[in-house]
Amino acid sequence: MIEAQKLTKSFGNYKVLEDLNLKVKKASVYGLLGPNGAGKTTLIKHLTGLYRQDQGIVTIDDQPVYENSQVKGQMIYIPDDLYFFSQASIEETAKFYAKIYPDWNWNRYEQLKQVFPIDSKRRVVKLSKGMQKQVAFWLGISSMPKVMILDEPVDGLDPVMRKKVWSLILQDVAERQVSVLVSSHNLRELEDVCDHIGILHKGKIVVERELDDMKSDVHKFQLGFAGDIPEGFLVGPEVLHRTQTGSILLLIARGDKNELLQRMKSANPVILDVLPLTLEEIFIYELGGMGYDIQNIII
Amino acid sequence: MTFKTSLFNKALILSNLKRYWWVSALYTLALMAYIPFSHLMKAMGMEVQNITWIQDTIDRMLSFSQDDVQAILICTVPVLMAVLIFRYLQVDKSAVMMHSLPIKRSSHYASHCLAGFVLLIIPALLNSLIMILLDYFTVLGSFYTLPKIFTWLGLNIFFCLFFYSIAVLVGMFTGSSVAQIVFTYIIQILPIGIYVLLKFSLEQLLFGFGEAPYSLFIEDNYPLFLLFNSAFLRNPHMVGWLLAYILTAAAFLILGWFVYKHRRLETAGDIIAFPALYPAFKYGMTFCLMLVGGTYFCGASRQSLPMLILGYVIASALGYFVAEVLIHKSFRVLHLYKGYLYYALVIVILLGGLSLDVSGFVKQVPSPEEVEKVYFGYNYNDWFYFEKEKNPEFLESRYQDSGYFEDNPPILLESQENIAGVIELQKHLIKERKREAGSSRYIIYTLKNGDYILRQYNINEADQSDAAFLKPIYESLEYKKLKFPAMRLVPEDIKLMSVEDDRSGKRPVNLTGTKDIRELTELLKNETIKMSYEDMTSSRDSYMRVSVLENNKRNEQNILVQSSFTSLLNWLKDKGYYDQFALHLEDIESVELEKAEDRAYFDNAATPSPVTINEREVIEELLNIDPSTNYISNDVIARFNVRNHVWSKRVSLEAGVSAKLKGYFAELEEDN
Ligand SMILES: Nc1ncnc2c1ncn2[C@@H]1O[C@H](COP(=O)(O)OP(=O)(O)OP(=O)(O)O)[C@@H](O)[C@H]1O
Ligand SMILES: [Mg+2]
């Protein structure tokens, strides 16, 4: 659906994106993760057809995005820094969007009044930052997009509103097959909503994972042995991490959970627990070997 | 989607109209207050005697001539409109929001442009409508006519369009609204600025360099100047001219569209939106500031060459680094000094070449055989339109004086002797290389092969060595014929001649008899032919003059009667005219002396009491003394009281005077 190939972009002599590849599937939520200044916003501005790439291809539904109003009519972009016409009320802004977006839906707009408790006669620029974000979602969702590109979207929303907004979006993903790309520098925020996560680092997507796979693929075990730990116990490439304190062993390993358990049981541990693993830890352990100071990115 | 709907986006146009209608409204009110309503007030309060004055004012306003208020509105409102309409492009947030909408860039550009233009012409249309209504229903009907109103409407829209198109085009190249405003005006005065500054610098560096003091071409063709000098009204090909400008404005808008399409969104906020133009901006600014600095330093230090160079160095460095600061939006630009060094190297080579006169410009003197004629006068434009362009009518129409060249023939010398004389003079000037005193004059050769050699020098008529070369030229018949109107008088064409003396307070004596006229013209000619170089350059005031009114001319010619014109004076005396108009010693009742500086510093009321002289011989001495021409020294003003008339002259304290007069001067000193 959303696709970037060999995307390269420099500002002056400063290279921000280099040979970047990215693919977002239809009806999925893709989380773009990266530290400040990694180039998330820059990448997003290419995906929304605002910036022209130096090299590479950016397409949505196999159509180039730049200067393509057909594609843009099916897409909404909520930037991290919102802009509204200074004189216009919510209602007037909605009228403007209604004339511009081909699939605008007034019913939806009216329904969403229940979700967003803001008087639609008020001037948008006079609203608080969080309220403006709400207006952006309100208008964005009312224009019935096929693609939503959100740059740090829930920044500034209160927890209740975050939930509401995400449930609206996920509902659209499920019912209308909307594809969503959302950026953040906070993994925890993406954990619950994304089904794909990509990490942007030094101008490239260094990791791209499907979350469900990941969670069922990596496990954390705590083992205790009566005596010494048997020689050669679980030292394969499947072990991502191992710490030993006395006779207690902490293991993080990749593979089929049951099979791994079988293998451990055969060594007769006194204790054998499967501990919960956060996404954060998965990333840290998965990427630990890649030579990036990835901890800083994720936490 | 049809072409039309996709190029002009209705929602965008409407949103622009909604957001900026207030500019339009204010402009409408300003025009309304300034034009129809003020006219109505004038017309209602009119009295019979100022009808023509009102008519004249109204006509001038409606045809945009000499109307600074309208001119200022016209050159600011469209620029402001262009800035507001394209403001979204210069701010990152709004540029991002607007371009994420499903609207193509062409459509953005066309819709915004159109919206701005509509907002600009609505005020003019509304005001025209008001004027038409006033024309039908009020007293203004006798001042307005439909053609006048439509001319006003047309010119208003025309100028709005022009300034708007320039500001829009400039806006496409820059990423900042402030820069857009600044550049819009700078590019309009830049050509004339560079012209003047470059000319100044070349004059300092190349002895003898001369060019037009300012460029009539720029003045008559650049919109900002046009607007203020209303040269278009004098343009004989007005329709074609307007058409050419409308096409130019359209070309600007199309070019703007093209630039918009290639503009990168991330340049919002940058001073220049296209990195490829950085060097042009950087070195352009360096060069312009260099010229400004050189002119400023050199001018302030009375044309000293080292100061010129110092000015160049300081100002060009300033220009370079300021440009870098603006481009990089950071003050840490000193490490970019290399670019400046390259620039400096090029300039040093150029200046070195100039001052070593590599091209031989300074020493170039034609040989007499090559020269067809030579212009030896003060006015570049006279020469340019008369000799080079062969289009004197243009200048005459510009000066609004159809007989200009007939009354002031350019001094184009063609005789062998004079050509040789001018060449010798030029050689002398090149050898001496004086710059300071004297007045600046052109020597422009027309060569037989069709080329021109143009030089400009300061020539000092009072300087002995210059005078030696000037004398043969000045005393030649050819020069005098061109220089003195007296030489061109034809008795048959003369309706009236009158003789008068400014000092006497008496009425002029009119001569109408054909015999008198013939004799007087003959005498004037003879006296002029006899005039020596010294007479021609003397600083003595001439108070007596002959005014000549010719048959088919509007203006009088005034011919000064010098004291050396003895036979003419004798003729006037013999005929008895002299006594009727001239000042006689007996006419002077008294003379009052006063220090010149007192007049400068005090009001008349506070002036210390003057020294009064009644002694005949001292009065006579004062009457005949040469007036002071040196305005720096502490002069004395001598006020002659002549019956019911007063005239005064400046006398130098240092002048060789009699003991008695010295006494009076001393008295004047003590008083203060
Ligand atoms: N218009 C621009 N001109 C020059 N450099 C830019 C421009 N926009 C972004 N950059 C640079 O590109 C890099 C990436 O910026 P970007 O805004 O994409 O980061 P980000 O990942 O969105 O960061 P954040 O988490 O803070 O939003 C930064 O170093 C930034 O300075
Ligand atoms: Mg960002």
Side-chain angles (χ1 to χ4, degrees), chain A residues 9 11 45 50-54 66-67 69 72-73 77 79 81-83 85 96-97 99-101, chain B residues 11-12 14-15 19 92-94 96-105 261-262 264-266:
Chain A
K9 175 75 172 185
F11 292 122
K45 282 181 178 168
L50 292 164
Y51 286 179
R52 195 167 35 198
Q53 61 271 27
D54 295 342
Y66 190 77
E67 276 287 82
S69 45
K72 285 184 179 176
Y77 165 43
D81 211 357
L82 294 168
Y83 173 82
F85 293 144
F96 177 71
Y97 276 65
K99 281 186 218 138
I100 285 185
Y101 282 96
Chain B
L12 269 190
L14 281 177
S15 100
R19 292 164 71 199
D92 190 54
K93 277 206 297 192
S94 51
V96 161
M97 179 273 189
M98 294 294 259
H99 288 91
S100 69
L101 300 175
I103 297 170
K104 285 200 172 178
R105 285 180 174 225
K261 287 189 88 163
H262 288 269
R264 287 174 174 244
L265 225 50
E266 61 261 34

Side-chain angles (χ1 to χ4, degrees), chain A residues 138-204:
Chain A
W138 184 356
L139 299 174
I141 294 171
S142 304
S143 64
M144 310 298 274
K146 291 262 155 49
V147 174
M148 290 174 109
I149 296 187
L150 316 170
D151 199 351
E152 307 193 13
V154 291
D155 233 35
L157 291 183
D158 61 56
V160 180
M161 194 44 79
R162 268 181 213 208
K163 274 222 177 78
K164 281 196 200 169
V165 166
W166 273 122
S167 79
L168 277 171
I169 294 173
L170 294 177
Q171 192 187 336
D172 266 12
V173 172
E175 288 172 6
R176 298 183 34 247
Q177 312 278 293
V178 174
S179 316
V180 180
L181 182 133
V182 45
S183 88
S184 176
H185 38 249
N186 189 342
L187 181 62
R188 245 162 266 153
E189 219 172 72
L190 300 178
E191 205 173 333
D192 306 329
V193 291
C194 296
D195 34 39
H196 285 77
I197 296 266
I199 297 186
L200 183 62
H201 186 66
K202 296 199 173 150
K204 284 194 165 113

Side-chain angles (χ1 to χ4, degrees), chain A residues 10-12 14-17 34-45 51 80 151-152 183-185 200, chain B residues 92 265-268 270 329:
Chain A
S10 309
F11 292 122
Y14 181 63
K15 212 163 218 169
V16 181
L17 304 177
N36 290 140
K40 301 184 295 293
T41 303
T42 308
L43 171 58
I44 282 177
K45 282 181 178 168
Y51 286 179
D80 50 348
D151 199 351
E152 307 193 13
S183 88
S184 176
H185 38 249
L200 183 62
Chain B
D92 190 54
L265 225 50
E266 61 261 34
T267 54
D270 292 357
K329 290 187 267 182

